[in-house]
């Protein structure tokens, strides 16, 4: 049986390797283009971006701050909501969870107008909260962690309930150690998603001072042509670092 499975595994390995190379081509081309200026290899693009394009720093740090706040807030909300969906008993729980799943599958474009109206009524437009608040309550993290909780050891939770009535203490000492890898995986997905925000900063905010780095690429005509390829390379670095730091947790968190 092992001999029969070997050709299939070899074909699968080649297919995965080919797919990896295919997806790495744009990354390689972006890096190559950032080093190619006027037909020759040069660091002029990096020099121009880092020393002469000062708006880049504002956009970059805005993206860092938004991504970190959204990721931390969404993970916190997702863990609490997932715990409630799995362990709590209240009327309409199944219906509400189905609504969460439906909202997760909806395209972003469907939610832009309702979010805009809500932010307008709350007078949050043209503020950092317009970008941060809606995404903190993204349903994706809740659904993933809720599914992961179905494979956790519930006997530990039942034993903890004999010692304390505090749900927060149970989550901290009994639940979180079991779902840590899943939380890391969800945090990586959330960070990558929020780092690539385009529509929200462009539609909910009019001030460049509080927009994200992705807004810089949407206004390419305002910048030197040597700047954008270099900015694209640096744009990929934070997500790549997150993956390198937590790739083991990502693989473990997706097993169940």
């Amino acid at each position: 049986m092992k001999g029969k499975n070997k050709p299939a595994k070899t074909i699968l390995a080649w297919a995965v390797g080919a797919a990896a190379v295919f997806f790495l081509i744009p990354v390689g081309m972006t890096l190559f283009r950032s080093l190619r200026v006027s037909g020759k290899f040069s660091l002029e693009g990096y020099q121009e971006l880092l020393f002469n394009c000062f708006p880049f720093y504002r956009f970059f740090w805005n993206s860092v701050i938004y991504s970190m706040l959204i990721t931390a807030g969404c993970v916190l909300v997702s863990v609490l909501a997932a715990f409630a969906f799995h362990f709590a008993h209240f009327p309409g729980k199944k219906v509400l969870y189905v609504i969460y799943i439906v909202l997760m599958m909806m395209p972003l474009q469907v939610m832009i107008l309702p979010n805009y109206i809500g932010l307008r009524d709350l007078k949050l437009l043209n503020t950092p909260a317009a970008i941060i608040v809606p995404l903190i309550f993204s349903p994706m993290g809740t659904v993933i962690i809720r599914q992961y909780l179905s494979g956790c050891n519930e006997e530990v939770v039942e034993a903890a309930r004999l010692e304390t009535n505090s749900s927060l203490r149970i989550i901290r000492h009994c639940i979180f150690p079991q779902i840590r890898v899943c939380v890391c995986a969800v945090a990586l997905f959330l960070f990558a998603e929020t780092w690539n925000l385009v529509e929200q900063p462009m539609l909910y905010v009019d001030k460049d001072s509080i927009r994200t780095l992705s807004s810089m690429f949407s206004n390419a005509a305002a910048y030197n042509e040597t700047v954008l390829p270099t900015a694209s390379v640096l744009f990929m670095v934070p997500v790549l670092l997150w993956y390198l730091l937590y790739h083991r947790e990502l693989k473990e968190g997706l097993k169940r």
Side-chain angles (χ1 to χ4, degrees), residues 32-227:
F32 176 81
R33 180 65 183 84
S34 70
L35 296 171
R36 191 77 171 174
V37 180
S38 301
K40 60 181 180 180
F41 286 100
S42 173
L43 295 177
E44 180 182 340
Y46 290 89
Q47 180 179 353
E48 179 70 22
L49 176 68
L50 298 177
F51 296 104
N52 297 323
C53 187
F54 297 108
F56 166 79
Y57 292 98
R58 181 177 64 244
F59 290 135
F60 179 84
W61 287 112
N62 283 345
S63 293
V64 171
I65 293 171
Y66 292 155
S67 298
M68 296 298 292
L69 290 176
I70 291 170
T71 301
C74 191
V75 165
L76 177 61
V77 171
S78 298
V79 170
L80 296 176
F83 178 82
F85 276 122
H86 188 71
F87 291 101
H89 301 282
F90 55 88
K93 182 175 75 171
K94 293 183 178 180
V95 175
L96 184 59
Y97 185 66
V98 170
I99 293 174
Y100 260 70
I101 296 176
V102 172
L103 289 174
M104 183 183 70
M105 294 187 296
M106 279 188 175
L108 172 65
Q109 291 75 12
V110 175
M111 303 302 298
I112 284 179
L113 182 57
N115 285 339
Y116 184 91
I117 294 173
L119 293 170
R120 180 198 63 189
D121 294 342
L122 293 171
K123 302 186 185 305
L124 294 178
L125 290 177
N126 298 318
T127 66
I131 301 174
I132 296 171
V133 172
L135 293 170
I136 284 180
F137 299 95
S138 173
M140 181 187 72
T142 300
V143 173
I144 294 176
I145 296 175
R146 162 64 181 82
Q147 294 300 114
Y148 194 87
L149 277 172
S150 61
C152 291
N153 185 0
E154 298 186 13
E155 295 179 357
V156 176
V157 177
E158 296 299 328
R161 284 178 173 172
L162 299 176
E163 301 293 334
T164 179
N165 290 325
S166 174
S167 297
L168 293 178
R169 292 185 64 185
I170 293 174
I171 292 173
R172 179 183 175 185
H173 296 288
C174 300
I175 298 298
F176 187 77
Q178 298 186 66
I179 65 172
R180 185 180 65 85
V181 291
C182 180
V183 170
C184 290
V186 169
L188 178 58
F189 285 130
L190 291 172
F191 184 87
E193 181 181 1
T194 54
W195 183 257
N196 293 306
L197 291 179
V198 177
E199 291 87 353
Q200 294 91 330
M202 298 302 298
L203 296 175
Y204 301 157
V205 173
D206 291 334
K207 304 174 184 177
D208 283 341
S209 60
I210 55 176
R211 281 181 170 168
T212 60
L213 185 55
S214 56
S215 305
M216 181 178 178
F217 300 111
S218 64
N219 191 22
Y223 302 98
N224 190 309
E225 63 177 4
T226 62
V227 164

